[in-house]
Amino acid sequence: KHPIVSLLDNCGVKINKDDVVRESDPANNVPDSIFSKLGLQLHRRDHHPIGILKNAIYDYFDTNYPNSFLKFDDLCPIVSVKANFDDVLVPADHVSRSYNDTYYIDAQTVLRCHTSAHQAELLRKGYTHFLVTGDVYRRDSIDSTHYPVFHQMEGFRVFSPDEWMASGMDATSYAANNLKKALEGLAQHLFGAVEMRWVDTYFPFTNPSFELEIYFQEKWLEVLGCGVTEQEILKRNGKMDNVAWAFGLGLERLAMVLFEIPDIRLFWSNDLRFTSQFSEGQLGVKFKPFSKFPPCYKDMSFWISDAFTENNLCEVVRGIAGDLAEEVRLIDSFTNKKGMTSHCYRIAYRSMERSLTDEEINQLQWDVREAVQSKLNVVLR
Ligand code: FA5
Ligand code: MG
């Protein structure tokens, strides 16, 4: 039985299962490496850093808002295009809808690219305070803080008019204020003192919208997005006279800061030297690297075609090298007189668990070159 079929059974998703497993379905762009992650639910393992973090966030909400936030951590990651995009007002031409950014099972069904996919459904069911934790899927770049499968926690809170009226503030400022206080409190609860900053941003489903960044490994790391919910979403789902805030936490990013985990691939490691360092309820643990093998860099140059995208390249690289690919970075690009554009990418190979031999890396790079040439319609130089 194909793993996705049992998953669909459990989710009660009504789509044609034959379509899902038919590799040739033109709308299906989900590779095996992603299929194999479906259903693993790292966020439901109490000894895994993601599960430990989820429970710590639950504690914060239970303490500060007793008996108010309902928790969901088992909603099906396979959702309709409507739930993932339309219901949260993502415009028809928004890049996130493209096959380049999102994994499609068929033309109407995707692997959710954010936990916001559940907002409207839960609002319609009448919930006003909820947390939704789950695995989310995106075609994305390759580096230490990006992975095509990761975990988010959505938070949503609806206010009734008397709540902001009493404050003398307008509804939007009241909600924005309350949201920032809630998340600053969460950061304080998780990290104690930490260097952080708010950045204004845009989401189709909130206005105003913000991101929180934390200073980590000498860089600003974006850990969450949030904002005041667009009135249209409330209106469509029976909350016309209310105001609400919402957030989406990047759980890997927060766990990297909390446990000092340097690379996002480690969350998927079954190596006991990783897994044994964490235990249920233990927030104070700092990860001790068990090996520091040097990365090996290989460069690859090619003439691109119009259809070339970096996400496609990254997926080909992951398809061959899996988690041995640590980073794929554009290091040079130029266009010649004939209008042809050349890109040079540097791939860093490194195992978190062992040292790689020269033969192994050369073979990987050879296979990557072959695959890039045959699948991406580019001309190697
Ligand atoms: C969203 O996904 C919004 N749905 C969040 C939101 C919810 C905003 C509710 C407003 C209201 P964004 O694409 O920025 O936003 O992702 C949220 C977080 O997920 C990021 O801040 C980051 O911490 C994490 N994240 C994004 N992409 C990756 C990735 N490839 N690997 C690991 N973490 C990621
Ligand atoms: Mg973002």
Side-chain angles (χ1 to χ4, degrees):
K1 209 175 184 187
H2 197 287
I4 205 163
V5 174
S6 12
L7 195 88
L8 287 168
D9 285 346
N10 297 336
C11 291
V13 174
K14 284 183 197 57
I15 58 174
N16 184 351
K17 288 169 191 167
D18 294 335
D19 280 352
V20 176
V21 290
R22 204 177 59 216
E23 307 276 321
S24 61
D25 186 334
N28 191 324
N29 64 349
V30 186
D32 286 344
S33 57
I34 296 295
F35 267 154
S36 65
K37 298 278 199 296
L38 273 164
L40 291 184
Q41 295 194 313
L42 302 183
H43 58 286
R44 301 182 75 207
R45 301 183 188 175
D46 292 331
H47 295 274
H48 189 281
I50 300 293
I52 299 168
L53 173 63
K54 180 194 78 174
N55 291 330
I57 301 171
Y58 280 1
D59 283 345
Y60 170 77
F61 280 93
D62 287 343
T63 308
N64 292 281
Y65 310 86
N67 307 315
S68 63
F69 282 86
L70 282 177
K71 307 179 191 86
F72 301 87
D73 71 354
D74 200 14
L75 301 179
C76 186
I78 300 169
V79 302
S80 63
V81 165
K82 177 179 175 293
N84 198 77
F85 297 119
D86 303 342
D87 284 355
V88 284
L89 314 178
V90 176
D93 59 354
H94 196 270
V95 283
S96 64
R97 289 186 184 248
S98 71
Y99 281 70
N100 188 54
D101 286 43
T102 291
Y103 291 110
Y104 280 77
I105 299 248
D106 63 27
Q108 289 84 40
T109 318
V110 297
L111 300 182
R112 68 183 163 208
C113 74
H114 54 180
T115 44
S116 303
H118 301 288
Q119 284 187 5
E121 155 203 354
L122 293 173
L123 273 175
R124 276 196 294 277
K125 289 186 173 158
Y127 301 120
T128 58
H129 297 63
F130 52 85
L131 301 172
V132 179
T133 312
D135 36 326
V136 301
Y137 299 79
R138 285 186 201 178
R139 299 184 87 234
D140 216 330
S141 40
I142 298 185
D143 66 30
S144 62
T145 61
H146 289 83
Y147 203 79
V149 187
F150 59 103
H151 297 77
Q152 287 188 340
M153 188 190 294
E154 194 83 0
F156 204 96
R157 176 172 183 185
V158 180
F159 297 91
S160 54
D162 42 305
E163 289 178 87
W164 73 83
M165 302 284 226
S167 75
M169 271 186 254
D170 67 275
T172 304
S173 314
Y174 178 82
N177 224 33
N178 187 284
L179 169 65
K180 284 186 168 175
K181 288 272 154 8
L183 290 171
E184 285 164 8
L186 174 62
Q188 167 78 33
H189 170 78
L190 294 175
F191 307 120
V194 71
E195 213 181 329
M196 58 185 187
R197 67 180 187 194
W198 287 106
V199 180
D200 290 324
T201 190
Y202 163 81
F203 296 107
F205 29 92
T206 50
N207 186 19
S209 306
F210 316 100
E211 282 169 348
L212 186 66
E213 296 185 338
I214 293 183
Y215 201 67
F216 177 64
Q217 290 183 345
E218 273 121 55
K219 282 192 194 125
W220 287 103
L221 178 68
E222 181 198 319
V223 298
L224 66 87
C226 66
V228 178
T229 299
E230 280 289 353
Q231 208 56 37
E232 178 66 19
I233 296 180
L234 297 177
K235 197 173 106 192
R236 287 188 193 176
N237 298 291
K239 291 280 178 294
M240 182 83 145
D241 302 318
N242 303 76
V243 66
W245 55 236
F247 62 72
L249 311 178
L251 294 184
E252 274 78 358
R253 303 276 181 91
L254 290 169
M256 289 174 83
V257 176
L258 184 60
F259 300 113
E260 295 176 6
I261 295 173
D263 192 297
I264 198 164
R265 293 171 296 164
L266 281 162
F267 292 103
W268 300 94
S269 173
N270 290 318
D271 192 314
L272 272 174
R273 292 169 297 175
F274 178 75
T275 55
S276 68
Q277 293 195 32
F278 306 96
S279 38
E280 186 169 356
Q282 297 283 307
L283 282 187
V285 172
K286 297 299 172 216
F287 172 66
K288 285 184 225 46
F290 44 83
S291 62
K292 262 240 184 301
F293 301 107
C296 176
Y297 299 100
K298 295 282 175 188
D299 293 353
M300 183 171 48
S301 298
F302 46 79
W303 299 106
I304 62 168
S305 64
D306 288 345
F308 175 82
T309 71
E310 199 166 299
N311 283 353
N312 286 341
L313 171 67
C314 287
E315 190 144 288
V316 169
V317 174
R318 276 205 220 269
I320 303 286
D323 284 359
L324 297 179
E326 172 169 282
E327 186 172 35
V328 175
R329 191 158 62 89
L330 180 66
I331 56 168
D332 188 38
S333 167
F334 68 89
T335 302
N336 72 6
K337 288 196 192 110
K338 292 181 191 157
M340 294 162 69
T341 298
S342 166
H343 281 180
C344 180
Y345 280 93
R346 177 160 293 170
I347 306 177
Y349 295 101
R350 178 182 358 212
S351 165
M352 301 264 105
E353 285 144 19
R354 62 197 175 84
S355 80
L356 301 172
T357 64
D358 284 347
E359 285 92 341
E360 200 174 358
I361 290 168
N362 288 336
Q363 185 64 48
L364 278 173
Q365 178 68 4
W366 179 258
D367 293 345
V368 165
R369 287 175 67 91
E370 291 277 280
V372 163
Q373 176 132 276
S374 66
K375 294 187 175 165
L376 296 183
N377 194 25
V378 301
V379 179
L380 291 175
R381 299 180 55 216

